[in-house]
Each structure stands twice: as C-alpha cells, then as structure tokens.
Amino acid sequence: MKIAILGGDGFCGWPTALHLSAQGHDIVIVDNLSRRRIDQELGAESLTPISSIEERIAAWQEVSGNTIRFANIDVAQEYDDLLKFIIDEELEAIVHFAEQRAAPYSMKNSKNKRYTIDNNVNATGNVLTAIVESERDVHLVHLGTMGVYGYGTAGMKIPEGYLDIEVTTDEDENGNPLAEPTRVQQQILYPTNPGSVYHLTKVLDQNLFAYFAKNDALRITDLHQGIVWGTNTRETSLDERLINRFDYDGDYGTVLNRFLMQAAVGYPLTVHGTGGQTRAFIHIQDTVRCIQIAIENPPATGERVKIFNQMTETHRVRDLANLLAKIADAQVELVPNPRNEAPENELHVKNDTFLDLGLNPTKLEEGLLLEVTEIARKYADRADLSKVPATSLWTSKQSAGVPPSV
Ligand code: NAD
Ligand code: USQ
C-alpha cells in the first residue's frame, strides 16, 4: 500500500514508518520537524543520539534497500501543500501522528496552550478537509489517547470508544405522554474527561472524526493509545543511525521512560504525589504492530469511526517505581504533584479488538531491565540532570487551593 506517515520523524512515527516499509509498503513521511525545534527551545535532547531525518532515511535505504521519501509540510498551517500532496501521492492510507503530544508542555503557559490547540485541532481539521477536497478514498488512522476518557472506571471496564446507554422515558419524541415508561437504547461516544489542554485537543479531534465520517463517509480509525514505553523496535535496532528518540525531560519524558533513565543514572525516581495514579501502557514494538493491524482492517465506507483501545497493561505509578527500585536498585522519592489530577484511581480497560486481531503483547517484566541496561545506561553520559524536574504547573490563580474535581 501507499501510506503517508504524518509526524513520521517522531517517537512513534519513525519506528512505524520503518516497520511498514519493512512490510513492503511504499512510505512517505510528512513532518515539519517541530519536535526537534521544541527540543532546542527547551534546551533538552533525546537521551539517544538521533540522526537527522535525511541521515535516517539514507541509513534505512542502505540497511533495507527500501526507499522512504520525506516531505517537510506543516500539516496545521500549509493546507495547500497538504492538499497537493494528497492528490499527487494517490495514497491508500494516512497515519496521523502530527500533533504536539506532551501534556506538561501544553500546560506551561498561555503561548503553549494556544499553540497546542492551534496546531493539533488545525492539523486534524486540515487532514480531514484535504481528504474530502482531494476526492481520494484514503483510510485515515489517527493516534488518539486513553486520556480522552479520563482515568476512572465508572464501575465498568472502559469500552472501545462507544458506550451502550439505556434511558427510560415516559414521553415520546414529541413530548406526548406514553401509556407506560419505555426503555430507549443508544450507543454514544464514551463521555470525555481530559486532564490537560493536550488531552483536550484529542477530545476535539474525536468530534471532528465523527462529523467527517458521517457527512463525507470518510473511513477513519482512531486509536486510543496508552503511555508508550521502550525505545527501539526490530527495525530501529538494525543500525545506530536508525535509533529512536528517548525523551526524559520534565515536559516530554513519559513516566516509565523517565523512571528507566532515572534508575540508570542514580536519580531518585520522581513519583508525583502518592503515585496512586493508574495509567495504561504499551511498548513501542506493540504500537507499530497495532498500527499495521489497524491499516489492514479499515472501516467500510459509510461506517462510523472505528475506535480501538491501544494499550496492553495498566499499572499504578508507585508500583512501577517500586518495581524498578527492586530490579535496578533505584531510590524512590515522592515529589509534590505539579499536575491537577486525582491522587489515586483505578483503571480497567477493554482492549479485545487488537488481541482478537493477533496482537501478542510485550510484557513489562520482560523488557524493563533490558531497557535500563541497553539504552538508559548505555547513553547515561548524555543525560542532563537539570532537565529532569517537571516544572510545568497545572494550577492557575483561579484554581490554586481548589482540589481536582475528577
Ligand atoms: P512526537 O512529538 O515524538 O512526534 C510527533 C511528530 O509530529 C514530531 O516529529 C513533530 O515534528 C510532528 N508534528 C507536530 N506537529 C506537526 C505539524 N503541524 N505538521 C507536521 N508535523 C508535525 O510524539 P509521539 O510520542 O511520536 O506521538 C505521536 C502521536 O501519538 C501523538 O499524536 C500523540 O498524541 C500520540 N500518542 C503518543 C503517546 C506516547 O506515549 N508517546 C501515547 C499515546 C498517544
Ligand atoms: N508522573 C510521575 N512522575 C513523573 C512523570 C509522570 O509520577 O516523573 C505521573 C503523572 O503525574 C501522571 C502519570 O505519571 O499521573 C502519567 O504521566 P505521563 O507524562 O507519563 O503521561 P501523560 O501526561 O498522560 O501523556 C503521555 C503522552 C501522551 C499520551 C498519554 C497517554 O505524552 O501523548 O496521550 O501519555 S494516556 O496517559 O493514556 O492518556
């Protein structure tokens, strides 16, 4: 298939591009390299030494014999270029990763809140509008987040996108009384409860998808992904120049990879609050496999948006910290939580679709120590410890002292 990877220079996008190329697909990466510019802005760098996009692509050609092409387009700002690209390329699928994805970065200040909303909502709106205007039949696969649901259970497993509801009514649609109460059944998008401006943009994306699937019969899959951990995949391990990025700084580093790096350099693991937050996780190798499966199982024309929960395990933050303390001899420190989030929560998630379609998950206990020794310790001398503390605060003047209403 001919597939475009929007955001293909990023942490999830790059290994996905290589994986799909290795499967024999014709891959073109679209990226405006904004993530590399944000590294410069923050004075932070990937723990692993990532090559330029040109070097990455040349190395892949050398190692695999496959060609990946690259187009530098800002998906949020350069609509005409995006439209021309979609018309010229005759794509069968587009994988859309091209958004600002860090919750702390999105909460840092007004500029970052506005950038995250502008960039993410415009990027998604532009892709959808351009697919319609191009008149091409392209399957759009988007990377969404488990965070659209919030992190609670409502007494049930979180379903894959849609919630069955039953309402008892004693009047009909015109307001006329019914002889006896009648039960009405429906399926609705699972109610949203985002925990940051970033997560909120993924909620807004969901409504864009529902509308374009309904009005324009676009074929769309939205993958509600948990926190990705790990670094390399089969393909990125083939050559040092293909290595994936590893974020550990207070804005972009996600919890488990931060703990892996902290364990490797002897920095006490930064558990926010009590560490009672439970979150969903998936290894990067499973991410790329899930995207392949989603591409191979598109919705039919006219079908509603397909939503899959792309996660394999749930864990409490303090349990992860204690596990690493045990296997990697790390110290654990409870630090004040910079975020406005529930201090403790349960999380139970349905993920049957991917398992039924053949996903064989990488287990945390299998890969964890390997990550500490083969990645985090190997590149420990590149770590800048001044970038570890999370300094982006969720509180505003109005919310100071008000407990989270989650
Ligand atoms: P990333 O920041 O490493 O990659 C995103 C890429 O998109 C970057 O290369 C960036 O330059 C590019 N980009 C951003 N805005 C763009 C624009 N307007 N035009 C063109 N390119 C643009 O992030 P990631 O970790 O690879 O995440 C990819 C997607 O997966 C995101 O949408 C994110 O919300 C989702 N996701 C990530 C995780 C995770 O743990 N990393 C978990 C769940 C969901
Ligand atoms: N946390 C710590 N210590 C740290 C860092 C984080 O205790 O040093 C805690 C946070 O307070 C939070 C939890 O760990 O309770 C997860 O934080 P995170 O930064 O790993 O994850 P999050 O901000 O939710 O964002 C990440 C990705 C985002 C993706 C999301 C999936 O950056 O793109 O959408 O995970 S999910 O969490 O399932 O919504």
Side-chain angles (χ1 to χ4, degrees), residues 312-357:
T312 57
E313 309 178 48
T314 60
H315 294 281
R316 219 172 265 279
V317 166
R318 63 169 168 263
D319 294 342
L320 292 176
N322 291 335
L323 180 63
L324 273 166
K326 207 165 71 192
I327 64 172
D329 207 16
Q331 302 294 308
V332 177
E333 190 182 353
L334 302 183
V335 300
N337 195 342
R339 305 187 184 199
N340 187 3
E341 60 186 359
E344 304 272 333
N345 69 282
E346 298 289 328
L347 185 63
H348 303 285
V349 181
K350 269 191 186 284
N351 63 343
D352 304 354
T353 308
F354 276 127
L355 297 179
D356 292 348
L357 290 170

Side-chain angles (χ1 to χ4, degrees), residues 124-377:
T124 300
N126 281 352
V127 174
L128 291 164
T129 308
I131 294 175
V132 175
E133 192 175 351
S134 72
E135 298 180 358
R136 303 279 190 229
D137 179 22
V138 188
H139 173 206
L140 179 65
V141 177
H142 171 254
L143 269 292
T145 176
M146 284 296 305
V148 296
Y149 304 121
Y151 310 103
T153 62
M156 60 188 281
K157 275 192 168 182
I158 295 179
E160 304 205 70
Y162 298 95
L163 178 68
D164 293 318
I165 59 161
E166 191 175 273
V167 184
T168 305
T169 177
D170 52 11
E171 55 183 32
D172 70 10
E173 285 156 328
N174 298 317
N176 302 316
L178 292 166
E180 56 186 50
T182 305
R183 286 208 287 262
V184 182
Q185 287 170 343
Q186 282 186 35
Q187 254 195 349
I188 58 169
L189 275 173
Y190 192 90
T192 59
N193 186 11
S196 71
V197 165
Y198 153 70
H199 288 97
L200 170 63
T201 63
K202 297 286 180 174
V203 167
L204 299 171
D205 282 349
Q206 273 206 131
N207 284 329
L208 290 169
F209 296 136
Y211 179 76
F212 278 84
K214 180 189 74 167
N215 192 66
D216 299 286
L218 294 197
R219 294 182 299 128
I220 302 168
T221 302
D222 197 8
L223 304 174
H224 288 184
Q225 186 171 236
I227 300 168
V228 183
W229 69 279
T231 315
N232 276 325
T233 57
R234 266 187 289 286
E235 290 81 20
T236 65
S237 312
L238 291 173
D239 188 293
E240 180 88 9
R241 293 166 296 170
L242 300 175
I243 200 165
N244 200 13
R245 66 179 303 132
F246 183 120
D247 297 314
Y248 66 90
D249 63 281
D251 286 308
Y252 273 87
T254 50
V255 64
L256 186 49
N257 277 9
R258 269 166 71 73
F259 286 177
L260 290 166
M261 172 273 178
Q262 292 166 357
V265 300
Y267 193 106
L269 310 187
T270 52
V271 171
H272 292 168
T274 61
Q277 310 91 316
T278 308
R279 294 291 182 272
F281 292 85
I282 182 166
H283 190 270
I284 186 72
Q285 181 68 58
D286 292 341
T287 290
V288 303
R289 172 83 181 117
C290 284
I291 290 161
Q292 181 198 339
I293 293 173
I295 289 172
E296 287 167 358
N297 293 276
T301 302
E303 194 178 329
R304 70 179 181 183
V305 178
K306 264 194 181 182
I307 303 178
F308 302 167
N309 290 340
Q310 186 164 314
M311 51 71 69
T312 57
E313 309 178 48
T314 60
H315 294 281
R316 219 172 265 279
V317 166
R318 63 169 168 263
D319 294 342
L320 292 176
N322 291 335
L323 180 63
L324 273 166
K326 207 165 71 192
I327 64 172
D329 207 16
Q331 302 294 308
V332 177
E333 190 182 353
L334 302 183
V335 300
N337 195 342
R339 305 187 184 199
N340 187 3
E341 60 186 359
E344 304 272 333
N345 69 282
E346 298 289 328
L347 185 63
H348 303 285
V349 181
K350 269 191 186 284
N351 63 343
D352 304 354
T353 308
F354 276 127
L355 297 179
D356 292 348
L357 290 170
L359 178 69
N360 180 16
T362 309
K363 291 279 180 221
L364 202 78
E365 64 261 29
E366 290 161 21
L368 217 51
L369 196 57
L370 214 66
E371 280 290 330
V372 178
T373 51
E374 292 198 356
I375 298 290
R377 281 200 188 126

Side-chain angles (χ1 to χ4, degrees), residues 65-86:
N66 296 344
T67 306
I68 292 181
R69 287 168 302 123
F70 170 61
N72 188 330
I73 300 174
D74 185 328
V75 177
Q77 301 296 332
E78 296 172 334
Y79 178 78
D80 292 342
D81 294 340
L82 177 67
L83 175 62
K84 184 171 181 323
F85 170 83
I86 292 175

Side-chain angles (χ1 to χ4, degrees), residues 7-20:
D9 186 45
F11 170 61
C12 298
W14 173 243
T16 300
L18 296 190
H19 179 70
L20 295 174

